[in-house]
Amino acid sequence: MDKCVIELVLSHEITEVERKKLKEYFKEMPVAEILTGLKFAKNRWIAKDSGTLKVGRKSMIQKEVHSVTAEQAQWRLKNWKMMIANYRRRGYSYPTISRIKKILVQKSKKNKVNLKFPLSN
């Protein structure tokens, strides 16, 4: 394995700890993985800088289901096609909508109580 030296121009001074961390990453990881991670980090940084970074999927799902009662969950499931249209209008992806439905199904079953009364004469 041949050693390759790369000179980096950074936007600001880095600490000795940061320098060592960078050196460690480049030493241990394949270059393709480092480039993939840097591409992701750059895209995220650009979105954050421009103010277009979207909220994470988990928080979107929690926002939709955290205070839903069993009755509300059942109603949403009965009117699911309308709910899909509503979620799509808000920009939710189908995997996110699917996760919301999964939690709504759990909530609708959780508080379902099958009451059986004995017949008395």
Side-chain angles (χ1 to χ4, degrees), residues 32-119:
E33 294 296 321
I34 294 169
L35 291 174
T36 301
L38 287 172
K39 181 181 177 188
F40 173 80
K42 181 182 178 192
N43 289 338
R44 183 174 172 84
W45 181 77
I46 289 170
K48 185 178 177 183
D49 194 44
S50 67
T52 60
L53 183 65
K54 300 243 181 190
V55 180
R57 180 176 20 229
K58 283 187 176 181
S59 61
M60 290 167 66
I61 294 169
Q62 287 307 313
K63 183 179 77 171
E64 290 297 333
V65 298
H66 81 281
S67 61
V68 175
T69 65
E71 294 80 24
Q72 290 170 328
Q74 289 169 0
W75 184 90
R76 288 182 184 195
L77 291 169
K78 285 179 188 171
N79 299 287
W80 189 241
K81 286 190 178 192
M82 183 179 68
M83 294 306 297
I84 290 174
N86 189 21
Y87 292 139
R88 290 298 294 156
R89 241 189 325 275
R90 291 197 235 157
Y92 290 9
S93 67
Y94 285 111
T96 300
I97 295 169
S98 176
R99 287 178 178 92
I100 291 171
K101 183 176 183 179
K102 181 179 175 184
I103 295 172
L104 288 174
V105 167
Q106 290 171 351
K107 283 193 173 223
S108 71
K109 288 180 180 176
K110 187 184 287 184
N111 292 338
K112 251 188 200 174
V113 178
N114 293 329
L115 298 176
K116 295 185 179 178
F117 295 103
L119 295 173

Side-chain angles (χ1 to χ4, degrees), residues 4 8 12-13 23 47 50 93 98:
C4 181
L8 298 174
H12 65 281
E13 292 291 320
K23 189 175 179 181
S50 67
S93 67
S98 176

